[in-house]
Amino acid sequence: MSWYFFYTTGHQATVPAIRWDAAFNGFHGDFNNNLIPALLIHHNTLASQILFTVMLPLLIFWPYSEGTMTYLFSQPDPTGNESMMKGEVALNENRKILHIKLFKLFNAYILLNGIKLLSCVCCAALHRRHLMVWKIFAPRFVYEGASFLTVTAYSIIMYLFVLRIDSALTRWVTKLEKET
């Protein structure tokens, strides 16, 4: 789905389609180095992959939040199931399950992007004698490689970020339990 968003925003997996003007938006004058313009172009080009990777933990947390909203706007549960009322804080009660779910989710996402990269490698290798190899297959391979590295880096960052939030929430809940 992130590649659909990539094409929806008007990007193409070719070198002439790189939006070089993204390097100069919001800044005036020259740069001392090329790091900031390179990051701006990279983030403009692969914004969809970055966005989808950052929103990936919502796949775990959304069912709990949805259950809370449904519970609030519906009739009381006759069975007395109050776990729906806790929302995503219920994941804090069993942290090991949260860590396993997060690990599996991010590994599956990285694996799927790795399979896409492998298929681009195979296509580039298969069509290495093709007339359009430098126009179609090589740029697609480069884009897929950059996308895979970006997804992997942001997956690691988001995994550590969610673990950090979980540990802070655990400390906060422990502090609240000691006070009461």
Side-chain angles (χ1 to χ4, degrees):
M1 198 161 156
S2 63
W3 274 105
Y4 292 129
F5 187 64
F6 173 80
Y7 291 114
T8 303
T9 56
H11 290 90
Q12 295 285 328
T14 59
V15 176
I18 296 174
R19 296 190 177 166
W20 300 106
D21 56 341
F24 308 107
N25 287 342
F27 295 99
H28 301 288
D30 293 333
F31 295 104
N32 294 335
N33 58 16
N34 293 332
L35 181 64
I36 294 175
L39 285 175
L40 289 173
I41 292 171
H42 177 265
H43 280 73
N44 179 23
T45 305
L46 298 175
S48 60
Q49 284 81 2
I50 294 169
L51 186 66
F52 276 80
T53 306
V54 167
M55 292 189 321
L56 206 56
L58 290 177
L59 291 175
I60 294 174
F61 295 123
W62 173 249
Y64 293 95
S65 299
E66 182 201 12
T68 305
M69 296 304 287
T70 308
Y71 183 82
L72 289 176
F73 293 115
S74 66
Q75 298 296 326
D77 190 8
T79 61
N81 186 5
E82 300 224 357
S83 65
M84 294 298 287
M85 190 61 182
K86 291 182 182 179
E88 60 270 6
V89 179
L91 286 171
N92 188 287
E93 292 176 356
N94 196 347
R95 296 176 67 202
K96 189 172 184 175
I97 290 177
L98 173 65
H99 295 177
I100 290 171
K101 283 183 177 182
L102 275 174
F103 189 73
K104 285 182 179 179
L105 179 70
F106 282 114
N107 278 339
Y109 193 61
I110 291 171
L111 178 69
L112 290 175
N113 278 288
I115 290 171
K116 284 177 28 183
L117 177 63
L118 180 65
S119 67
C120 282
V121 168
C122 292
C123 286
L126 179 68
H127 300 298
R128 67 183 175 271
R129 303 264 185 225
H130 195 277
L131 204 59
M132 300 293 283
V133 71
W134 297 113
K135 181 79 173 164
I136 298 172
F137 302 112
R140 175 70 181 181
F141 170 62
V142 170
Y143 271 83
E144 198 63 53
S147 172
F148 177 74
L149 292 175
T150 302
V151 163
T152 303
Y154 274 90
S155 293
I156 292 169
I157 291 169
M158 284 306 298
Y159 179 73
L160 295 174
F161 181 69
V162 173
L163 290 183
R164 172 72 174 107
I165 290 175
D166 182 49
S167 66
L169 183 63
T170 301
R171 284 194 308 268
W172 182 63
V173 168
T174 305
K175 182 180 173 184
L176 285 177
E177 287 175 351
K178 285 181 182 177
E179 290 178 0
T180 59

